[in-house]
Amino acid sequence: MQGRAPDGGLTAAEAARRLEQLGPNVIPQGRPVPFLVTFLNHFKSPLIYILLVAAGISMLMGDLEDALFIGIVLILNGLVGGVQEHSAGRAAAALRKLEQPHAVVIRDGERQEIAAADLVPGDLVLLEAGMRVPADICLAEADGLLCDESLLTGESAEVHKRLAPADPVAGDPVRLMAFAGALVTRGRARGTVSATGTTTEIGRIALEVGRPSMSRPPLLARLDHFSRLIGIAVCGAIALIALVGIVRGLSLEDMFMMSVGLAVSAIPEGLPVAISVALAIAMSRMARHNVIVRRMPAVETLGSCTMIATDKTGTLTRNQLTVTDIRLPDGTALEVQAGTDPESCTILGEGCDEERARARVAPLMRAALLPNEARLLRQEDEWQGIGDTVDVALLAAGRKAGLEEDSVRSAMPLVARIPYEPDLKYAASFHRKPQESGDIRLFVKGAPETVIAMADRMDAGDGIVPIDRDALLSQMQAMAQDGLRVLAFAEGEIAEESGGYGAHHLVDLVFLGLVGMQDPIRAEVPAAIRACHAAGVEVAMVTGDDPRTAAAIARKAGLVFAEDEIVTGEAVRRAEEAGEAALDALTRKARIYARVVPAQKLAIVLSLSRNGHFVAVTGDGVNDAPALKHAHVGVAMGRKGTDVAKESADIVITDDNFASIVAGIREGRVAYANIRKVILMLVATGAAEMLLFLLAIPLGQPMPLIAVQLLWLNLVTNGIQDVALAGERAEGDELARPPRRPGEPIFDALMLRRVLLSTLVMGLGGFALFHALLGAGYPLAEARNLLLLLLVFFENFQTLACRSERRSVFAMPLFGNPLLLLVVVAAQALHISAFYVPWLRDTLQVQPVTLGEWLMLLLLGSSVLVVMELDKWILRRSERHNTMSGAKEAGPPRLPGQP
């Protein structure tokens, strides 16, 4: 073929031509978003649009101070949010690593190592143990090839790549593929590149991930709804002013100025900054828990989630095959500690200490280390295995038993080996023991049925006895039912021969025991799942493993489910074919999804969303990427996760710790609670200002406050307080309450009640003072001056009252939020200082007050705190009463399984 060397590889010229024609073997990554774009994105909000309109009106009216105030707020909001998201993006970029930088190819008849990006279709590639497959490759030769495709398929079991015979009908060989991203754990192979870049299987998934997300963060949806309410309120107030103005015969200029004043009152100008600060603080706190938030709204979304759809391999489990159980022929059960450092763990057994347990398993572990081609190396602070994952797991177990593979191998030099083959179902090795010249020791590992058939005796601990095959097979079945992968071991002794060693020697062996292996549950997972359940967050597992393995792992992880809540990918496929209604009915009940493919994982997530859930998806593999992208919030594992998964996610867990998700949920709920506190404070203050206007105008009184005074209240004195309130710490019961309902608005019944109470106290109190002052003959400017100070006091006490929706401010730690105390005092001090700064005094039209006036207004301002504390007390009393009534109706607690 043109462009090919005699041995089948491409020529360098042909490879260069194809590279130019088809492009490099890379998956395009999104370009880093410039800071300016991130900054401008924070202006895409209806609330920001309302503020921009207000600024424009102020400029047209010649009120440059008002326009300047609003402009500063908008720029500050964009800077706070932009800086946080930009730095989070840089932190996520630092996690990226090149998975497969090089590939070994045959070009121009020579073996070469080239950059994986330079591979082209038609290249002849060589694969060996330890390599990551650099492209989709059609294999022509495969010698004992095992591939770990868990990051692609979600299945933890390795895939044996074996060439099949030619199809008897077509006469063509069946294509055998090695897919880009898979890890070669054992053997070697040769094949031709069939696809590169975005045409590979992993590339197709990456293209799916590039589509816009189908889900919208709940915070943005709630804020949009809130902004529409504000717009409606402003329009309604202006319409009322127009009606009153016509009745009273006001000039257009007076009506317009009143409209501007009402609009400034209604619009919470400080809210965008406060929300950005609340989310930025939560991002910072989550970073201390090894959680990087790549998109700011995801902070609150994680706190809103009602369902976590989690991957199994690498998320609930460690993605590391590990020996966890040993069963000796006499029935003795031993436990192998599942720590990550094999030298700091040991083997334990009931009724025997560590030394005794190690002595009992020494013969079995020796048989595990000798017919073993893997290597276990310490690199920096971690152990790295090279070779078949089963062999690596056995080497780690040997170290936990006090045996080091190099010492064992040097003591018994290798004579011959029978490599493992799936058809044989065993591996064996023959060794010479130096001090026993003339004798050859042989060791076998493999499938229990196969190894048991080779033995006629077994090691009972206190001696060699005839084998009890039925008892051994029962042990094996019991271990398999626990979801363990079971291997058996045996040893024997033969005389040295010159004709070689083979399978005919594997008879009359001594059976040594069984080893159970699994991809163990991460130690922190059961407690984290219990915390999720306590927080009202459901957990579903989505995996490519078979149903029995999936169920066993799920139970060990702490998931609670019934047998009819386990569904397979086939059931999902049938439901998809029947339509969305059938799929939604299936996902409404199912909690364990087994044997699913990537496209089904995405369909499951979208169906859960249609069922009313806010869905958080966790995962680390390429197969998880579409679901991570289109869920309400995607959570990727940072250490062992693929670049595609991390790029698709909103949040990256840098320590791959499932428990960090619980910390994220808590911080997300804290952030949303703080946003509610800020909204309550700002909206109540703004509503009180509107009430002042709506009471004054029909009664023929002048405007209670001018626009610049309203902006001073909303942006300066209130602005520094709401920012501090946005940083309030957790109250401690965030995970003891159920998540918010997906359709729950920001203004629920409690918020509306609090806003109404605060508005009435501050609005009526302020109007009463203003009306009384004018009636007592105070000049208008002086009446406005005292009213403005009273509203600053109202803001101070309202800020303190908003620290918690349920707890009394007097029951909270005084210095739990020291910044808040500082800014409350600073807001009062700032307003008093305005009395004495000439340009500020003239702009705000204020003047100093007497100590008596100040104390009187302080007392009046505290009334809002008294009313709010009384309402909290009523709420707590009502909740306690409801809890006690519910407990009486429920009766005594029932045990699990009781009707």
Side-chain angles (χ1 to χ4, degrees):
M1 184 182 297
Q2 184 179 5
R4 285 200 169 273
D7 65 351
L10 294 178
T11 63
E14 175 64 15
R17 186 188 70 79
R18 295 187 184 187
L19 182 63
E20 182 178 358
Q21 178 184 0
L22 302 173
N25 176 37
V26 295
I27 297 173
Q29 294 183 353
R31 295 181 179 179
V33 180
F35 174 76
L36 180 60
V37 175
T38 305
F39 170 74
L40 293 176
N41 282 338
H42 284 266
F43 288 80
K44 297 178 180 178
S45 165
L47 191 60
I48 301 296
Y49 301 152
I50 293 175
L51 290 175
L52 287 172
V53 171
I57 292 174
S58 298
M59 290 185 67
L60 290 175
M61 294 297 299
D63 292 331
L64 297 181
E65 296 93 343
D66 297 2
L68 180 62
F69 271 40
I70 295 175
I72 292 173
V73 166
L74 296 180
I75 292 173
L76 184 59
N77 172 67
L79 286 174
V80 171
V83 168
Q84 283 293 329
E85 283 198 17
H86 192 67
S87 55
R90 287 187 301 173
L95 293 173
R96 299 175 194 143
K97 55 185 178 181
L98 200 56
E99 294 287 346
Q100 177 62 38
H102 296 92
V104 177
V105 300
I106 301 294
R107 284 186 181 175
D108 290 327
E110 296 182 356
R111 177 186 173 114
Q112 302 177 26
E113 185 172 311
I114 66 170
D118 294 337
L119 280 176
V120 295
D123 257 324
L124 184 59
V125 177
L126 306 180
L127 298 175
E128 296 178 355
M131 290 183 174
R132 199 168 286 278
V133 180
D136 283 0
I137 297 174
C138 182
L139 300 176
E141 302 174 11
D143 181 13
L145 186 67
L146 287 178
C147 291
D148 177 0
E149 297 181 345
S150 61
L151 292 179
L152 297 167
T153 65
E155 296 187 34
S156 56
E158 293 166 318
V159 180
H160 181 250
K161 301 289 185 178
R162 181 173 51 178
L163 292 172
D167 187 285
V169 178
D172 297 326
V174 178
R175 280 167 57 94
L176 180 66
M177 298 296 299
F179 296 104
L183 178 65
V184 178
T185 60
R186 206 184 77 179
R188 53 188 56 83
R190 171 192 293 241
T192 303
V193 173
S194 61
T196 59
T198 55
T199 61
T200 62
E201 290 298 316
I202 187 175
R204 294 191 185 100
I205 294 176
L207 289 178
E208 169 66 25
V209 168
R211 293 170 52 198
S213 176
M214 302 178 189
S215 299
R216 180 169 171 78
L219 178 63
L220 297 184
R222 289 178 174 129
L223 287 177
D224 285 352
H225 179 68
F226 171 68
S227 300
R228 287 193 293 271
L229 291 179
I230 292 294
I232 293 172
V234 171
C235 293
I238 291 175
L240 180 61
I241 287 178
L243 179 62
V244 172
I246 293 173
V247 172
R248 290 182 52 195
L250 297 176
S251 66
L252 289 177
E253 182 179 354
D254 288 340
M255 285 193 291
F256 187 80
M257 290 303 298
M258 288 183 179
S259 299
V260 171
L262 264 178
V264 172
S265 300
I267 298 171
E269 291 89 349
L271 184 58
V273 174
I275 290 176
S276 294
V277 169
L279 295 178
I281 290 172
M283 289 174 69
S284 177
R285 290 173 178 171
M286 292 171 84
R288 293 197 290 269
H289 293 286
N290 300 305
V291 179
I292 292 178
V293 180
R294 300 183 65 239
R295 286 176 270 277
M296 187 177 278
V299 171
E300 187 276 335
T301 308
L302 187 58
S304 298
C305 77
T306 61
M307 171 73 74
I308 298 177
T310 177
D311 183 36
K312 175 186 74 70
T313 305
T315 307
L316 296 180
T317 67
R318 288 164 46 196
N319 196 18
Q320 184 179 69
L321 194 63
T322 305
V323 175
T324 57
D325 298 79
I326 296 176
R327 192 68 60 87
L328 299 178
D330 63 354
T332 300
L334 300 169
E335 175 189 353
V336 183
Q337 291 181 328
T340 57
D341 187 349
E343 292 187 344
S344 64
C345 302
T346 189
I347 295 177
L348 304 173
E350 186 175 353
C352 60
D353 57 18
E354 178 183 341
E355 185 178 352
R356 170 67 175 159
R358 285 185 167 187
R360 288 295 311 275
V361 302
L364 183 150
M365 296 314 311
R366 187 167 58 243
L369 299 182
L370 290 171
N372 192 315
E373 300 182 63
R375 288 184 292 161
L376 192 61
L377 305 174
R378 190 177 189 94
Q379 298 180 352
E380 296 180 354
D381 295 332
E382 294 186 352
W383 287 88
Q384 298 290 336
I386 299 176
D388 178 46
T389 55
V390 172
D391 284 348
V392 170
L394 293 174
L395 293 185
R399 287 183 178 263
K400 294 173 184 179
L403 299 177
E404 198 271 324
E405 61 271 16
D406 289 338
S407 299
V408 174
R409 290 167 180 170
S410 62
M412 302 185 72
L414 178 67
V415 176
R417 185 190 303 277
I418 301 177
Y420 176 84
E421 290 291 343
D423 290 339
L424 295 178
K425 296 184 179 179
Y426 70 85
S429 60
F430 300 81
H431 301 262
R432 178 181 294 107
K433 200 168 184 179
Q435 63 268 33
E436 298 178 8
S437 58
D439 289 331
I440 297 295
R441 301 289 300 277
L442 63 93
F443 301 90
V444 182
K445 68 174 183 184
E449 299 91 337
T450 303
V451 177
I452 289 173
M454 295 177 178
D456 62 353
R457 293 160 294 157
M458 64 184 189
D459 185 352
D462 54 358
I464 306 300
V465 300
I467 193 168
D468 185 346
R469 290 189 170 85
D470 290 339
L472 296 177
L473 289 173
S474 296
Q475 291 179 13
M476 180 269 293
Q477 291 168 359
M479 296 174 74
Q481 287 176 356
D482 288 336
L484 298 175
R485 183 176 181 178
V486 186
L487 284 184
F489 300 86
E491 67 176 1
E493 188 172 311
I494 59 176
E496 186 172 5
E497 298 180 2
S498 58
Y501 305 94
H504 60 284
H505 291 109
L506 306 181
V507 294
D508 302 332
L509 305 180
V510 176
F511 188 80
L512 300 175
L514 300 169
V515 160
M517 290 178 286
Q518 60 179 308
D519 183 6
I521 294 292
R522 294 178 181 272
E524 68 278 356
V525 164
I529 288 181
R530 287 195 300 272
C532 287
H533 289 159
V537 180
E538 298 183 64
V539 181
M541 187 174 80
V542 186
T543 179
D545 275 336
D546 67 88
R548 188 177 70 173
T549 300
I553 292 295
R555 289 191 181 94
K556 291 178 181 178
L559 291 174
V560 179
F561 56 93
E563 290 299 321
D564 62 351
E565 293 178 322
I566 305 173
V567 301
T568 63
E570 176 61 24
V572 173
R573 183 190 64 78
R574 291 196 299 268
E576 284 186 280
E577 291 176 352
E580 285 188 356
L583 181 59
D584 294 348
L586 181 70
T587 60
R588 200 171 292 123
K589 185 176 183 181
R591 288 299 174 265
I592 307 297
Y593 300 87
R595 291 292 188 200
V596 299
V597 298
Q600 291 177 330
K601 187 173 295 189
L602 175 59
I604 290 167
V605 169
L606 296 178
S607 177
L608 289 170
S609 180
R610 290 195 298 271
N611 280 332
H613 284 290
F614 280 149
V615 186
V617 173
T618 71
D620 63 350
V622 174
N623 61 311
D624 301 317
L628 288 169
K629 175 73 174 183
H630 298 296
H632 289 101
V633 58
V635 183
M637 301 296 127
R639 295 181 64 187
K640 293 187 177 180
T642 60
D643 286 349
V644 174
K646 286 180 277 191
E647 288 294 328
S648 306
D650 304 289
I651 292 174
V652 178
I653 308 295
T654 61
D655 61 351
D656 287 9
N657 189 335
F658 184 84
S660 297
I661 298 172
V662 179
I665 291 174
R666 183 182 65 249
E667 292 299 340
R669 292 186 178 185
V670 171
Y672 184 70
N674 288 346
I675 290 171
R676 278 176 58 92
K677 296 169 187 176
V678 170
I679 289 176
L680 171 59
M681 187 184 75
L682 293 179
V683 171
T685 303
E689 294 165 1
M690 287 187 65
L691 183 59
L692 276 171
F693 274 77
L694 295 177
L695 289 173
I697 294 171
L699 296 178
Q701 293 187 347
M703 289 175 56
L705 297 171
I706 60 176
V708 71
Q709 290 174 333
L710 291 169
L711 283 173
W712 174 260
L713 282 173
N714 294 351
L715 297 182
V716 181
T717 58
N718 228 12
I720 62 174
Q721 293 178 108
D722 61 36
V723 167
L725 189 60
E728 193 68 38
R729 297 183 183 276
E731 295 182 33
D733 63 347
E734 286 77 14
L735 296 181
R737 297 183 178 275
R740 296 177 299 284
R741 299 186 310 276
E744 178 182 306
I746 291 178
F747 279 90
D748 57 6
L750 178 61
M751 177 78 84
L752 288 172
R753 189 172 81 193
R754 293 281 167 79
V755 169
L756 180 61
L757 286 174
S758 302
T759 299
L760 290 176
V761 172
M762 293 188 291
L764 292 177
F767 177 76
L769 175 70
F770 186 66
H771 181 72
L773 291 174
L774 292 179
Y778 278 70
L780 176 60
E782 192 172 342
R784 284 173 173 170
N785 179 48
L786 292 174
L787 174 60
L788 184 61
L789 179 56
L790 174 62
L791 290 177
V792 172
F793 273 122
F794 275 141
E795 290 177 348
N796 295 152
F797 286 107
Q798 175 77 346
T799 299
L800 295 175
C802 288
R803 288 192 64 190
S804 174
E805 290 188 358
R806 287 172 169 80
R807 297 176 64 189
S808 169
V809 67
F810 302 108
M812 301 181 71
L814 180 62
F815 295 102
N817 187 353
L819 178 61
L820 184 67
L821 298 180
L822 178 64
V823 298
V824 166
V825 175
Q828 186 63 214
L830 185 63
H831 186 72
I832 292 174
S833 67
F835 297 158
Y836 303 99
V837 178
W839 69 270
L840 196 54
R841 182 180 61 221
D842 295 339
T843 301
L844 296 176
Q845 298 182 22
V846 293
Q847 56 188 332
V849 298
T850 67
L851 179 60
E853 290 172 331
W854 187 86
L855 291 174
M856 179 193 69
L857 296 177
L858 171 67
L859 185 61
L860 288 175
S862 65
S863 61
V864 70
L865 178 62
V866 173
V867 172
M868 295 291 281
E869 286 296 307
L870 179 61
D871 187 61
K872 290 181 190 179
W873 178 80
I874 294 172
L875 176 65
R876 291 195 300 271
R877 190 168 179 269
S878 174
E879 288 181 340
R880 282 197 299 269
H881 175 73
N882 292 338
T883 301
M884 293 176 63
S885 299
K888 289 179 180 179
E889 292 177 6
R894 291 174 294 180
L895 295 174
Q898 281 187 324

